[in-house]
Amino acid sequence: MTPLERAGLALLHRMDPERAHGLSLTALRAGLVPLPGAITSDRLATDLAGLALPNPVGLAAGYDKNAVALGPLARAGFGFVEVGAATPRPQPGNPRPRLFRLSEDRAAINRFGFNNEGMVAIGARLAARPEGAVVGLNLGANKDSADRAADFAAVLAHCGAHVDFATVNVSSPNTERLRDLQGRAALSALLAGVMAARSGLARPIPVFLKIAPDLSDAEIDEIAGVALEAGISGIVATNTTLARGELTSRHAGEAGGLSGAPLFARSTRVLARLSVATGGRLPLIGVGGIGSAEDAYAKIRAGARAVQLYTALVYGGLGLVAQIVQGLEGLLARDGFANVAEAVGTGRDEWV
């Protein structure tokens, strides 16, 4: 991290977290953040459900909720970028304060509640997205919707022509009873509707399912079965957790989803269990607590074909992306892997 980047992060950390989040997007759009451009090599290039990624390290949904910084993010070193979550209608989300830094724990707690400008505004920005970048959209449901399952299909139908993949997000803990949609009957019906919307697109795209880390082995196995039956393209493991564990920050008791370093082990165990349950038939994306190349490599060895990060950027800045990607290439080379695919699942037994 350069002295300028260090000073910028220090300034942001003196602000309210949500204000700092918005200011970081403004700085990115204004060209005030140094960006490395695409980072790739023969060893890093990865296929994810038919998507050709320059490297397997992506940006998780939640940072650019409204797709306002697609150009700069496409040059930040990520192999792919996911924006959103988008809902059919704009909604303000939950009352503030709703984002908390847990600096001592390298973590964050949020209870945003799908605040976003809605699929019409977000879809218009996605239609003008930069060429060459792999961009996906996280699909959400309005809090007051009479048919939340239909909301996911509606967002995909409206925005699907302008993205490379979509993620069905039934695992946010901040919309009341949303996680109930992870049950077999509800999830089967929801995914059937989403896949019907996908079939109506001129260019059918991969559809992923994002699950919670707070699931039993039986629930993970059930979700894996539903996903395979529905014909979706992959599973993202995982979203934030409602569990707390041993945290030291004064914000530890805040309601909402916990992300960052304390989530790493829990989410990686779910990922590995999911790898077993799917038997390698679905590509998996590992998310939760990644803050270093070693963390990303551990996710891949636990069964992930690609990974995503977000909270670690709060503490390491966007320069962390290049560090992780380049470090990952070194780890793959050290262990004799010619590409990412060769390493997938080789360390799964350490987690199940």
Side-chain angles (χ1 to χ4, degrees):
M1 189 184 303
T2 67
L4 182 60
E5 289 172 309
R6 191 174 293 109
L9 273 181
L11 177 62
L12 290 175
H13 280 218
R14 293 192 193 103
M15 300 178 183
D16 166 78
E18 189 164 353
R19 184 182 173 212
H21 176 193
L23 188 58
S24 73
L25 280 168
T26 300
L28 193 59
R29 294 169 67 190
L32 301 179
V33 181
L35 303 171
I39 305 175
T40 191
S41 69
D42 290 343
R43 185 172 274 111
L44 291 169
T46 305
D47 178 272
L48 177 66
L51 300 171
L53 308 181
N55 70 68
V57 180
L59 175 65
Y63 176 65
D64 190 2
K65 293 176 181 292
N66 294 304
V68 298
L70 289 172
L73 288 172
R75 301 190 299 274
F78 293 108
F80 61 112
V81 171
E82 185 174 340
V83 300
T87 55
R89 290 173 284 108
Q91 64 181 19
N94 294 322
R96 299 189 187 199
R98 53 193 181 182
L99 176 62
F100 305 89
R101 282 189 218 97
L102 284 68
S103 299
E104 302 91 336
D105 305 296
R106 307 287 284 186
I109 291 174
N110 91 81
R111 49 174 181 263
F112 280 117
F114 283 169
N115 58 308
N116 74 104
E117 295 175 9
M119 67 183 185
V120 174
I122 293 171
R125 295 185 189 114
L126 288 168
R129 51 176 280 198
E131 293 185 7
V134 178
V135 177
L137 178 63
N138 193 277
L139 313 177
N142 282 116
K143 182 177 181 178
D144 60 354
S145 175
D147 187 350
R148 287 181 176 171
D151 281 9
F152 294 94
V155 177
L156 179 59
H158 186 84
C159 299
H162 310 306
V163 293
D164 298 300
F165 68 92
T167 301
V168 177
N169 185 356
V170 293
S171 51
S172 170
N174 300 315
T175 297
E176 187 178 359
R177 301 191 66 82
L178 182 71
R179 287 189 173 189
D180 291 353
L181 294 174
Q182 292 177 124
R184 173 177 281 280
L187 185 58
S188 293
L190 184 154
L191 292 178
V194 169
M195 296 306 284
R198 174 185 179 270
S199 67
L201 298 175
R203 176 180 58 94
I205 58 175
V207 172
F208 303 132
L209 172 67
K210 190 168 189 176
I211 67 170
D214 308 318
L215 298 166
S216 67
D217 286 353
E219 289 169 328
I220 294 168
D221 293 348
E222 184 173 77
I223 287 173
V226 172
L228 288 165
E229 291 168 6
I232 66 167
S233 309
I235 301 177
V236 182
T238 67
N239 211 318
T240 57
T241 181
L242 290 171
R244 290 297 181 261
E246 297 181 4
L247 301 175
T248 60
S249 170
R250 64 188 177 90
H251 296 303
E254 292 289 346
L258 173 71
S259 60
L263 178 58
F264 179 80
R266 176 182 289 265
S267 62
T268 308
R269 281 194 293 271
V270 172
L271 170 69
R273 176 71 189 194
L274 197 58
S275 178
V276 172
T278 57
R281 289 171 286 175
L282 282 179
L284 307 177
I285 300 96
V287 193
I290 297 173
S292 67
E294 289 77 14
D295 293 339
Y297 190 44
K299 295 278 190 187
I300 290 168
R301 295 186 68 245
R305 186 168 288 272
V307 299
Q308 291 177 313
L309 56 144
Y310 174 9
T311 301
L313 303 178
V314 173
Y315 300 103
L318 269 177
L320 183 64
V321 181
Q323 292 177 35
I324 290 177
V325 174
Q326 292 163 355
L328 179 59
E329 179 166 33
L331 291 169
L332 290 165
R334 180 198 70 187
D335 292 347
F337 295 118
N339 52 57
V340 174
E342 287 186 0
V344 174
T346 56
R348 187 177 64 190
D349 291 347
E350 298 171 19
W351 295 96
V352 294

